Amino acid sequence: QVQLVESGGGLVQPGGSLRVSCVASGSIFSINAMGWYRRAPGKERELVATITSGGSTIVADSVKGRFTISRDNAKSTVYLQMNSLKPEDTAVYYCNAQLRPVGGIYSDYWGQGTQVTVSA
């Protein structure tokens, strides 16, 4: 069984930094893209950033220059370094991976989410 487990969320003051991580585990054959999405209260889920296995990235305009996505393919882990955080970054952050489990086909998998709150 494949699982995505996020960690690293929490409460931070405006202007502060936080790093969230997501590890994919289980019977995984290969992982294509990994990424982060977020859902703020009363809003729809939105893309934050994605990264392919080759390192190509897509970053939302709202976080460009402040957030950096990276991954460690050997550890099946994706990271999101968040700097200069703003109150509007407050949301539940979800990890996503397009992966193929052993004996299966490529599908989207999601983590359970980690809360990030930016407040003084």
Side-chain angles (χ1 to χ4, degrees), residues 69-118:
I69 188 170
S70 61
R71 67 189 278 177
D72 185 333
N73 290 330
K75 296 181 178 179
S76 299
T77 301
V78 62
Y79 307 96
L80 185 68
Q81 177 66 43
M82 301 180 286
N83 299 327
S84 302
L85 281 160
K86 304 175 181 179
E88 51 263 43
D89 295 319
T90 295
V92 178
Y93 284 70
Y94 296 92
C95 175
N96 168 268
Q98 298 168 6
L99 64 84
R100 179 183 172 187
V102 174
I105 61 174
Y106 274 105
S107 299
D108 272 328
Y109 288 79
W110 294 91
Q112 79 286 355
T114 185
Q115 177 71 47
V116 172
T117 302
V118 185

Side-chain angles (χ1 to χ4, degrees), residues 1-3 25-28 101 109:
Q1 185 174 355
V2 174
Q3 280 188 312
S25 64
S27 299
I28 298 171
Y109 288 79

